[in-house]
Amino acid sequence: MKRIRKYFPYILLILLFIFMIGIWFFVFRYSTHNNYLKVVFLDVGQGDSIYIEAPNGRQMLIDGGPDAKLLSSLAEVMPFADRSIDMIVATHPDADHIGGFPLLIDNYKVTSIIENGADSPSKVFSSLEEKIANKKINKIIARRGMHIILDDKKNIYFDILFPDRDVSKMDSNDGSIVGKLVYGNNSFLLTGDATIYTENLIEWNEKDSTIHSDVLKLGHHGSRTSSSTLWLEKVDPSIAIVSAGKDNRYGHPHKELLDRLLALQIPFLSTAEKGNIIFKSDGKNLVY
């Protein structure tokens, strides 16, 4: 006991030193993030999840992947002590897009959720809706024309391009929320599982300049039923992203889609090969 008392001031000093290192570590991480818009296409296996963090610290998570892998992928890109997310978006109620959300809500404080207004008979959808109600999370039904400001000082925003109608009776993929994230000269077109049919509806509604984006998240994990040649020409991305699981049983990305990308000389990255794919933008330059 006397020995413990003897060394107590030194132990206290060491603990204080460790505490101060921790504080400076978090300050450094936040100050680094505050210079950029960060967009991360998370590796969640055969599913979709996109983490967005604005320079002011506001966060949006588009889709939640199929399962608990969402949490481990998030832990790689979020500050350790951060246990809240401002807004989540469920592009449509398929399990590979919302499967991780119930567990996310159990572990993080979520303020708002945007849905497309469609239901699903699945257990994971019922669980998600129950948790939204129990946690009193603000629910918003997406409609074309919604303008969501993520950082007002930097003028970073997310515009919803689709749905432009009630999609509750449509095919689940057809009804996916499609939105465009914009920061200065840089933009990301995020498409859920939107099909060629959905793309045609958006092309009818929007100017080519609205559709054009630097980064395109290819619809439906690189399926042949998404990302038509016309759509790819109008978006004219500098790079495309495939969110899919390695050696998945669906054969995503399909060869037909890869042939379209090759013909148009559009490079692509896949979460199956690269893991988390991180983009940073200062509104002028886009790095990854």
Side-chain angles (χ1 to χ4, degrees):
M1 198 68 181
K2 289 181 179 179
R3 181 174 293 181
I4 294 175
R5 288 199 201 98
K6 179 181 177 182
Y7 290 105
F8 182 75
Y10 300 102
I11 295 171
L12 189 63
L13 189 62
I14 291 169
L15 290 175
L16 182 61
F17 179 71
I18 293 171
F19 176 75
M20 291 302 296
I21 288 176
I23 291 294
W24 281 110
F25 174 74
F26 290 123
V27 167
F28 173 77
R29 290 192 70 172
Y30 275 109
S31 63
T32 301
H33 290 168
N34 284 343
N35 295 324
Y36 300 95
L37 167 68
K38 182 163 74 171
V39 180
V40 186
F41 296 89
L42 295 172
D43 175 19
V44 290
Q46 183 62 20
D48 266 23
S49 190
I50 304 161
Y51 172 75
I52 299 165
E53 184 178 315
N56 63 2
R58 194 171 187 211
Q59 298 156 327
M60 173 185 279
L61 184 66
I62 300 178
D63 287 328
D67 51 37
K69 189 173 182 183
L70 170 68
L71 297 189
S72 58
S73 293
L74 267 181
E76 296 176 12
V77 298
M78 285 184 67
F80 176 76
D82 187 354
R83 307 305 294 177
S84 67
I85 294 176
D86 299 285
M87 179 176 288
I88 63 177
V89 179
T91 59
H92 62 301
D94 284 4
D96 59 329
H97 290 252
I98 65 168
F101 276 158
L103 195 57
L104 177 85
I105 292 172
D106 286 339
N107 288 274
Y108 289 79
K109 176 179 171 53
V110 175
T111 304
S112 300
I113 181 169
I114 299 179
E115 297 181 344
N116 71 347
D119 293 332
S120 169
S122 70
K123 290 182 180 180
V124 67
F125 179 77
S126 299
S127 174
L128 174 59
E129 294 304 297
E130 182 180 349
K131 290 178 185 294
I132 291 169
N134 290 342
K135 297 281 188 176
K136 296 181 172 55
I137 297 172
N138 180 39
K139 186 194 292 190
I140 301 164
I141 302 302
R143 282 295 178 268
R144 175 179 178 247
M146 286 184 176
H147 182 71
I148 300 163
I149 297 173
L150 297 179
D151 190 324
D152 54 353
K153 290 183 179 179
K154 300 285 189 178
N155 194 28
I156 300 173
Y157 58 89
F158 181 72
D159 280 345
I160 292 178
L161 308 183
F162 194 83
D164 63 350
R165 63 195 67 199
D166 179 3
V167 297
S168 59
K169 305 300 182 186
M170 291 175 64
D171 172 82
S172 181
N173 291 339
D174 289 344
S176 290
I177 294 172
V178 176
K180 183 174 180 178
L181 175 67
V182 179
Y183 180 22
N185 295 330
N186 299 145
S187 55
F188 300 76
L189 194 57
L190 309 173
T191 59
D193 277 357
T195 61
I196 291 174
Y197 173 73
T198 312
E199 294 165 5
N200 290 338
L201 294 176
I202 296 171
E203 289 163 8
W204 179 266
N205 287 333
E206 307 294 345
K207 298 176 181 178
D208 289 357
S209 59
T210 302
I211 299 173
H212 169 69
S213 298
D214 298 303
V215 181
L216 171 64
K217 204 288 295 185
L218 295 165
H220 201 193
H221 321 290
S223 168
R224 66 175 68 89
T225 58
S226 301
S227 307
S228 71
T229 296
L230 179 60
W231 177 255
L232 293 173
E233 288 175 338
K234 291 200 172 195
V235 179
D236 190 25
S238 299
I239 191 163
I241 302 296
V242 175
S243 183
K246 191 172 182 62
D247 300 323
N248 64 84
R249 62 191 178 95
Y250 304 100
H252 294 148
H254 287 153
K255 182 180 183 302
E256 295 92 326
L257 180 275
L258 297 180
D259 288 343
R260 292 175 212 156
L261 295 176
L262 182 61
L264 295 171
Q265 297 183 318
I266 298 171
F268 75 95
L269 295 173
S270 170
T271 58
E273 303 300 329
K274 299 293 185 181
N276 291 342
I277 300 171
I278 302 174
F279 288 81
K280 287 186 177 182
S281 167
D282 62 4
K284 297 177 182 178
N285 303 299
L286 188 63
V287 295
Y288 55 91

